[in-house]
Amino acid sequence: MEKQNINNTNNSAQSQKIELSKTMYVSEIIARWPNLVDPLMSLGMHCISCFASQMETLEEAAMVHGLDADEIIEELKEFIHQDEVQNGQN
């Protein structure tokens, strides 16, 4: 019984990990990963502090800026991965 509780705790921690997606609001992404501000800016997403970031998904913001949301997501995921590796969080 004790072992099962430990496994349930591990499973719930894994299920709580947030996956970055283009359907997330820009403000939500920045709140969760503040270290993504600079990469977003360098990718052409200059709407980080804009009021629209509160109500636009990354996909919508990318469309407004003429960018490919899938490419942005891949770049950001790679940045997060590299950051985790450098900080020993992987």
Side-chain angles (χ1 to χ4, degrees):
M1 192 95 169
E2 187 70 28
K3 187 176 180 180
Q4 185 177 14
N5 289 340
I6 291 171
N7 289 338
N8 286 342
T9 302
N10 289 339
N11 289 341
S12 70
Q14 289 173 352
S15 67
Q16 289 179 359
K17 184 174 180 177
I18 299 171
E19 179 69 26
L20 180 64
S21 83
K22 63 185 179 183
T23 60
M24 296 174 78
Y25 289 107
V26 175
S27 60
E28 181 183 7
I29 293 169
I30 297 308
R32 173 66 178 92
W33 297 282
N35 57 334
L36 292 183
V37 169
D38 289 338
L40 280 166
M41 295 287 283
S42 69
L43 291 168
M45 300 288 292
H46 302 280
C47 58
I48 303 309
S49 60
C50 176
F51 74 93
S53 70
Q54 301 294 316
M55 56 188 162
E56 278 187 334
T57 64
L58 182 69
E59 184 173 35
E60 292 166 337
M63 192 181 338
V64 167
H65 292 285
L67 304 169
D68 184 317
D70 292 319
E71 288 179 14
I72 291 172
I73 288 295
E74 290 308 312
E75 291 282 337
L76 295 178
K77 284 182 178 180
E78 180 60 26
F79 181 87
I80 290 169
H81 173 73
Q82 292 300 321
D83 193 48
E84 288 174 345
V85 167
Q86 287 177 350
N87 292 317
Q89 297 174 1
N90 193 9

